[in-house]
Each structure stands twice: as structure tokens, then as C-alpha cells.
């Protein structure tokens, strides 16, 4: 319970937050969790770099102050904004050479990482640490700093050196991205020499940003219980499994939620036709719209497979490509929205050219299309090789688009396989396969299609998925408990 004495004042540090800037699920979490926490009584501020795209957008942004700070090259400009329509304040950290450039926060126009990412995010971490100590004179001092992913992971290491520092929680959204840089970068960043050790930021001779969070945070969590277990194994620990096992007493999993104000088929302004569990027939209008968008034949009875994804190895994209070779004689249509690895772009485009009656491909990033795919597809395929949580399977369920997923990470925690039993007792919410292989994916899609052809059972399944509760409130309560435990403990 929150009392006057233990009220969490949370500085939520992140490198992306919807609707200000988004490349993936981290932005969705950072755009929604702080609001849910505020609703539970926490005092929350979000801190985010002031990227060029944010400054040049038409969002309402206020200049707070400009400063030169010890140990920080150049001038820092602090702005304030709000998370969407909420009253949660966002502090934007502006810096001409580090953040003012336009485009993707992490990648240049060619898709290569910006060569100065270590300097940029080390600078961001220094500013977060100063804000956490109220050394930016913003007149607010948190008692918890909640860091997310490697871009903010140096903060716990920096704060460890200060006795009056707040408590630190580090959330792993994806252990595959660690922020690894050469030793020379460590030297150039001016970090305390004692941090260069295998009990510190050093990882096999390289500087590891993520180790800052894993070694020095008071608590660590990840975005599903299953992934919290998986990262303690050599298969998914990337060499960090020993450290994670060592810290297992302070490591937990909290599954992500979904923001019902953005992802709700009843009210979503980005889809062609709104619908609810009571007006499922209207969902078909969205399928027709999708067929038109993708220039696929307007077949009412086609089984529509959707996919919205970063096109990277994690997502099992190679499996999808191979699977698509097998759909020629089936009444399936497939539509993809994605961007990522250019070799995947080429393969999808040539696949769509070869089979335009069944395969529609849009390479790029587009919020509106993403919503339309969720609304218009019959199933949503996610054969991820690993998936810390995954949000698209949750959005799909909300839209009655049945997810077909590999049993891994958050997908395993959130989707219940449709068997005779789970269909009968009303708990089924999707189709789950246990091996990341094309035959397994194929079999799961075939199982889905067989049920699709039994409209009464299918509709029941669709309603189940739409009624599954993945609201942020439940997960935010778990974060709140974690903060309160951190504030109680002495270490
Ligand atoms: P990850 O963060 O690993 O990419 P998640 O499933 O957690 O995976 O979240 C992905 C988020 O990014 C979802 O909101 C999804 O709709 C969105 N997304 C991914 N690719 C695109 C795209 N090409 N266009 C629009 N939205 C996208
Ligand atoms: C990462 C993961 C994804 C998760 C998201 C938000 O990008 O890949 O599984 O849903 O973070 O936590």
C-alpha cells in the first residue's frame, strides 16, 4: 500500500516512448506503463532524449532550461512534454551533436548503428543520473530510477558511487541488445577506472552497457516470467546467464500489458470499421479493406494471415519466408508490414511478385497499417525464435485475430493453445507450436484453418481472445509492489 512515507517517486528512463518516438515494443511500454503507475498513485516522470524527430514534430514541447554541466561536453537543453493526452510529464534531454539529428534513434539511413551511439547514450545516462540526484535543479527528486534496456543501463553503475542515490530497477526488454563497444570507448567516456572489471562493465574485453544494469541495479526484471527463466540458460543468456543466475534472487518477470486507449477495436480511429465481441460480422469489413490495401483478390472466404514485425532474425522471419513457399494450393492470403534487415526486404518483395494473388508486402513503418492488419486478419503469425514478451500477440487477441505463436518467452506466457479441452472450457486464445521449424508452423496454421472452417467454434475462440485481460493495470500493480519492496529494503 502507498503511504505518505513510501510513495514511489519514479524517474522512468527510456530511449523511446510512444507517441513521441517509436521503433518497437519498448516505446509502447514506455508510453503506457508510466500512465498506469500514475493512476495507482505513483509520482512519475519520464526522461527521454530530445531526438530531432521529436523536436520537429507538432507535439507540444516547452523549453525548461539550458545548462553546461561538469563532465558533459557542450550545452544541455531540457524540454518538457506530456505522454499523449495524460498528465505524465516527460523530460526531454536535448544536445546538439548527440540527439538533434533526425531519423531512427539508433540507426542511420543505411540501417547501420550510428557510430557515436556509445557517446550518445553514455551522455544520456549521465544526465539521467544527475536528474536522479536532483542536480539539474528541476526541483524533484525520485526515490526510484526505473531504467530500461542498455541505453539507460549505465545509470545504476553511475549512481552506485553516490550514497544519497535513489534505488534502481533495471528492466531487460531484450537481452540480445547489450550495448557492446571496444575498451577504447570505455577509456574515452571518462568512466571511473574501477568500473573496468569483470565484476563491473567489462565483458570479454569489451565495454558492456547492459552489465551496468545487471550488476549494479537493486532489482532486475524482464517482461515475462518465462523469459526471466530463459535468460538464465546458455541458450538465451548470451554469456550473461551466470551473472543472471547469480542475481536470481533479485530477478523477476512482469508481463507487459496493452494500452486499451490505443489498441481497442471498439474505438480505434485507425481502422476502417470498429467492432466488438457483439458485432464480429463487422470485422469482415476490415478484411476487405486489407485486401484492397494489399491489392489481393477480394475473396470473402480467404484465410487471412497477418504479420507486423521488425524484420530481424529474432522474429523467425526466415521461417515465414520458407512457409510462404508452401501456401500456393491453399485458400490463404498473407499480408506483411515490416522493416529491418534489407535482405529480408528483398526476399519478401520477390515473394509477393511471384505470388501476387496470395502475398501482399509493405516494407516500411506505419502505425495505421499496423492497426488495420490487427483488425483485418484472421490469424497473426509470430514464429519468434525468442521473444521477451511480444506485444503483437496481445494486440491480436484484443482484435479477435487469433495468434499463432512459437512457445517461447512472453508468447508462451500469454497464449493458451486451442485444444479440445481449452476450447471446451473457454480458455483457448491461440495456436502454439513448440519447435521453431517450418513444419511446426505449418501444422499450427493448418490447425487454425481447420477450426476457421467451423464458424461456430471459431467465433467462440475469437471471443475468448478478445475477452482475455492484458490491461496494464495488473502489470503496473506488480511494478508498484516491486518499487515498494525496493524502498523497504536496506541494501
Ligand atoms: P519488438 O519490440 O521486439 O519489435 P513487440 O511485439 O514487443 O516487438 O512490439 C512491436 C511494436 O512495434 C508493436 O507495437 C508493433 O505494432 C510495432 N511495429 C513493428 N513493426 C512495425 C511496422 N513496420 N510498422 C508499424 N508498427 C510496427
Ligand atoms: C523488446 C522485445 C519484445 C517486448 C518489447 C517490450 O523489444 O523484443 O518482446 O515486447 O521489448 O517489452
Amino acid at each position: 500500500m502507498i503511504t505518505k512515507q513510501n510513495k514511489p517517486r519514479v524517474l522512468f528512463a527510456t530511449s523511446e516512448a510512444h507517441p513521441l518516438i517509436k521503433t518497437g515494443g519498448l516505446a509502447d511500454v514506455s508510453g503506457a506503463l508510466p500512465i498506469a503507475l500514475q493512476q495507482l498513485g505513483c509520482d512519475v516522470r519520464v526522461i527521454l532524449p530530445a531526438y530531432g524527430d521529436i523536436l520537429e514534430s507538432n507535439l507540444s514541447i516547452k523549453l525548461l532550461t539550458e545548462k553546461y554541466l561538469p563532465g558533459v561536453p557542450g550545452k544541455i537543453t531540457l524540454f518538457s512534454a506530456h505522454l499523449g493526452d495524460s498528465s505524465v510529464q516527460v523530460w526531454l534531454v536535448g544536445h546538439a551533436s548527440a540527439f538533434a539529428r533526425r531519423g531512427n534513434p539508433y540507426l542511420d539511413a543505411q540501417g547501420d548503428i550510428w557510430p557515436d551511439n556509445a557517446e550518445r547514450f553514455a551522455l544520456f545516462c549521465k544526465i539521467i543520473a544527475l536528474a536522479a540526484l536532483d542536480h539539474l535543479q528541476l526541483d524533484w527528486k525520485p526515490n526510484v530510477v526505473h531504467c530500461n534496456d542498455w541505453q539507460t543501463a549505465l545509470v545504476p553503475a553511475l549512481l552506485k558511487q553516490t550514497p544519497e542515490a535513489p534505488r534502481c530497477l533495471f528492466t531487460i526488454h531484450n537481452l540480445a541488445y547489450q550495448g557492446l563497444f571496444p575498451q577504447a570507448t570505455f577509456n574515452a567516456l571518462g568512466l571511473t577506472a574501477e568500473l573496468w572489471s569483470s565484476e563491473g562493465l567489462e565483458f570479454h574485453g569489451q565495454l558492456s552497457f547492459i552489465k551496468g544494469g545487471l550488476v549494479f541495479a537493486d532489482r532486475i526484471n524482464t517482461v515475462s516470467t518465462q523469459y526471466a527463466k530463459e535468460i538464465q540458460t546458455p541458450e538465451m543468456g548470451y554469456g550473461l546467464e551466470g551473472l543472471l543466475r547469480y542475481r536470481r534472487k533479485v530477478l523477476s518477470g512482469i508481463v507487459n500489458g496493452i494500452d486499451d486507449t490505443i489498441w481497442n477495436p471498439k474505438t480505434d480511429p485507425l481502422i476502417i470499421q470498429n467492432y466488438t465481441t457483439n458485432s464480429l460480422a463487422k470485422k469482415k469489413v476490415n478484411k476487405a479493406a486489407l485486401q484492397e490495401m494489399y491489392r489481393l483478390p477480394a475473396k470473402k472466404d480467404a484465410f487471412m494471415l497477418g504479420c507486423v514485425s521488425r524484420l530481424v532474425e529474432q522474429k523467425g522471419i526466415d521461417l515465414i519466408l520458407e512457409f510462404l513457399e508452401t501456401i500456393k494450393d491453399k485458400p490463404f492470403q498473407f499480408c506483411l508490414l515490416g522493416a529491418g534487415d534489407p535482405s529480408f526486404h528483398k526476399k519478401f518483395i520477390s515473394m509477393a511478385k511471384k505470388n501476387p494473388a496470395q502475398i501482399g508486402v509493405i516494407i516500411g513503418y506505419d502505425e495505421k497499417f499496423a492497426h488495420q492488419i490487427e483488425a483485418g486478419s484472421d490469424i497473426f503469425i509470430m514464429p519468434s525464435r525468442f521473444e521477451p514478451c511480444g506485444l503483437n500477440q496481445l494486440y491480436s487477441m484484443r482484435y479477435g485475430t487469433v495468434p499463432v505463436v512459437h512457445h517461447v518467452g512472453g508468447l508462451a506466457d500469454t497464449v493458451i493453445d486451442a485444444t479440445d479441452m481449452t476450447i471446451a472450457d473457454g480458455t483457448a486464445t491461440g495456436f502454439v507450436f513448440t519447435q521453431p521449424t517450418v513444419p511446426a508452423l505449418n501444422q499450427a496454421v493448418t490447425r487454425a484453418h481447420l477450426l476457421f472452417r467451423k464458424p461456430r467454434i471459431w467465433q467462440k475462440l475469437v471471443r475468448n481472445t478478445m475477452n482475455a485481460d492484458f490491461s496494464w493495470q495488473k502489470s503496473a500493480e506488480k511494478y508498484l509492489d516491486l518499487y515498494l519492496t525496493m524502498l523497504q529494503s536496506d541494501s
Side-chain angles (χ1 to χ4, degrees), residues 257-381:
I258 63 176
D259 185 340
D260 207 55
T261 62
I262 298 176
W263 296 95
N264 183 347
K266 186 175 175 190
T267 51
D268 190 340
L270 300 180
I271 63 176
I272 298 286
Q273 173 68 59
N274 293 113
Y275 58 97
T276 65
T277 42
N278 293 326
S279 56
L280 275 183
K282 291 187 181 168
K283 188 170 175 0
K284 294 187 180 140
V285 179
N286 289 306
K287 174 143 84 178
L290 208 51
Q291 287 167 329
E292 204 179 311
M293 257 167 62
Y294 279 90
R295 303 210 167 98
L296 294 167
K299 288 190 180 158
K300 283 203 176 96
D301 55 353
F303 188 47
M304 181 64 85
L305 285 54
C307 177
V308 180
S309 186
R310 288 187 295 119
L311 300 181
V312 294
E313 207 198 309
Q314 170 190 349
K315 304 290 179 180
I317 301 302
D318 52 326
L319 301 177
I320 299 183
L321 281 161
E322 217 182 309
F323 163 75
L324 290 175
E325 302 276 9
T326 69
I327 66 169
K328 197 113 200 130
D329 306 319
K330 301 183 176 150
F332 297 174
Q333 291 180 336
F334 169 80
C335 52
L336 170 95
L337 170 65
D341 181 340
S343 76
F344 286 139
H345 296 181
K346 275 195 212 127
K347 287 181 185 154
F348 274 115
I349 290 168
S350 92
M351 191 77 92
K353 270 196 191 135
K354 269 199 307 198
N355 187 358
Q358 284 184 291
I359 299 176
V361 168
I362 295 177
I363 300 296
Y365 188 91
D366 191 301
E367 285 288 327
K368 193 164 185 282
F369 286 179
H371 283 241
Q372 190 59 38
I373 291 180
E374 292 292 5
S377 307
D378 293 306
I379 61 169
F380 192 99
I381 53 174

Side-chain angles (χ1 to χ4, degrees), residues 25-26 29 173-174 223 256 310 314-315 387-391:
L26 172 61
V29 174
H173 293 266
N174 197 331
V223 286
N256 290 330
R310 288 187 295 119
Q314 170 190 349
K315 304 290 179 180
E387 195 61 80
C389 178
L391 290 167

Side-chain angles (χ1 to χ4, degrees), residues 71-92:
V72 176
K75 187 174 69 181
I76 295 294
T77 311
L78 291 168
F79 303 90
S80 91
H82 286 101
L83 265 194
D85 295 333
S86 79
S87 59
V88 173
Q89 226 190 99
V90 183
W91 286 335
L92 295 164

Side-chain angles (χ1 to χ4, degrees), residues 151-441:
Q151 295 88 350
T152 58
L154 291 185
V155 175
L158 295 172
L159 288 177
K160 254 313 174 247
Q161 299 156 10
T162 320
E164 72 276 18
R167 295 282 143 88
C168 286
L169 169 65
F170 181 67
T171 301
I172 305 166
H173 293 266
N174 197 331
L175 195 64
Y177 300 95
Q178 299 171 7
L180 288 177
F181 301 96
Q183 181 175 6
T185 307
F186 176 86
N187 299 333
L189 290 177
L191 296 162
T192 327
E194 70 197 36
L195 287 174
W196 187 260
S197 83
S198 56
E199 283 88 46
L201 302 180
E202 194 250 45
F203 184 62
H204 301 294
Q206 287 193 291
L207 159 63
S208 162
F209 270 56
I210 205 166
K211 278 192 73 188
L214 303 185
V215 173
F216 296 105
D218 299 293
R219 292 270 166 166
I220 307 165
N221 85 301
T222 183
V223 286
S224 64
T225 338
Q226 176 68 17
Y227 192 60
K229 288 182 206 145
E230 289 167 353
I231 55 178
Q232 295 180 53
T233 68
E235 293 73 33
M236 293 205 200
Y238 301 96
L240 291 164
E241 62 276 9
L243 170 57
L244 288 161
R245 276 202 304 272
Y246 175 70
R247 300 220 66 202
R248 67 183 175 279
K249 288 211 175 81
V250 294
L251 167 66
S252 60
I254 302 179
V255 76
N256 290 330
I258 63 176
D259 185 340
D260 207 55
T261 62
I262 298 176
W263 296 95
N264 183 347
K266 186 175 175 190
T267 51
D268 190 340
L270 300 180
I271 63 176
I272 298 286
Q273 173 68 59
N274 293 113
Y275 58 97
T276 65
T277 42
N278 293 326
S279 56
L280 275 183
K282 291 187 181 168
K283 188 170 175 0
K284 294 187 180 140
V285 179
N286 289 306
K287 174 143 84 178
L290 208 51
Q291 287 167 329
E292 204 179 311
M293 257 167 62
Y294 279 90
R295 303 210 167 98
L296 294 167
K299 288 190 180 158
K300 283 203 176 96
D301 55 353
F303 188 47
M304 181 64 85
L305 285 54
C307 177
V308 180
S309 186
R310 288 187 295 119
L311 300 181
V312 294
E313 207 198 309
Q314 170 190 349
K315 304 290 179 180
I317 301 302
D318 52 326
L319 301 177
I320 299 183
L321 281 161
E322 217 182 309
F323 163 75
L324 290 175
E325 302 276 9
T326 69
I327 66 169
K328 197 113 200 130
D329 306 319
K330 301 183 176 150
F332 297 174
Q333 291 180 336
F334 169 80
C335 52
L336 170 95
L337 170 65
D341 181 340
S343 76
F344 286 139
H345 296 181
K346 275 195 212 127
K347 287 181 185 154
F348 274 115
I349 290 168
S350 92
M351 191 77 92
K353 270 196 191 135
K354 269 199 307 198
N355 187 358
Q358 284 184 291
I359 299 176
V361 168
I362 295 177
I363 300 296
Y365 188 91
D366 191 301
E367 285 288 327
K368 193 164 185 282
F369 286 179
H371 283 241
Q372 190 59 38
I373 291 180
E374 292 292 5
S377 307
D378 293 306
I379 61 169
F380 192 99
I381 53 174
M382 287 182 84
S384 306
R385 292 183 185 279
F386 68 94
E387 195 61 80
C389 178
L391 290 167
N392 278 116
Q393 82 281 13
L394 305 181
Y395 300 149
S396 300
M397 289 190 236
R398 193 75 188 82
Y399 283 69
T401 293
V402 183
V404 176
V405 305
H406 175 213
H407 188 268
V408 75
L411 301 174
D413 279 1
T414 56
V415 183
I416 299 171
D417 189 36
T419 60
D420 289 345
M421 211 170 81
T422 57
I423 291 170
D425 68 17
T427 53
T429 53
F431 295 87
V432 183
F433 54 98
T434 50
Q435 292 301 318
T437 62
V438 177
L441 169 61

Side-chain angles (χ1 to χ4, degrees), residues 95-142:
H95 186 272
S97 63
F99 300 126
R101 72 192 70 160
R102 296 212 57 175
N104 185 294
Y106 321 120
L107 308 174
D108 65 18
Q110 280 67 49
D112 297 318
I113 60 167
W114 293 110
D116 56 350
N117 272 355
E119 290 75 12
R120 298 168 70 222
F121 289 106
L123 183 137
F124 182 44
C125 289
K126 281 185 189 166
I127 305 298
I128 299 166
L130 290 170
L133 298 168
D134 195 20
H135 287 177
L136 299 178
Q137 282 91 40
L138 292 167
D139 211 16
W140 184 82
K141 189 171 179 224

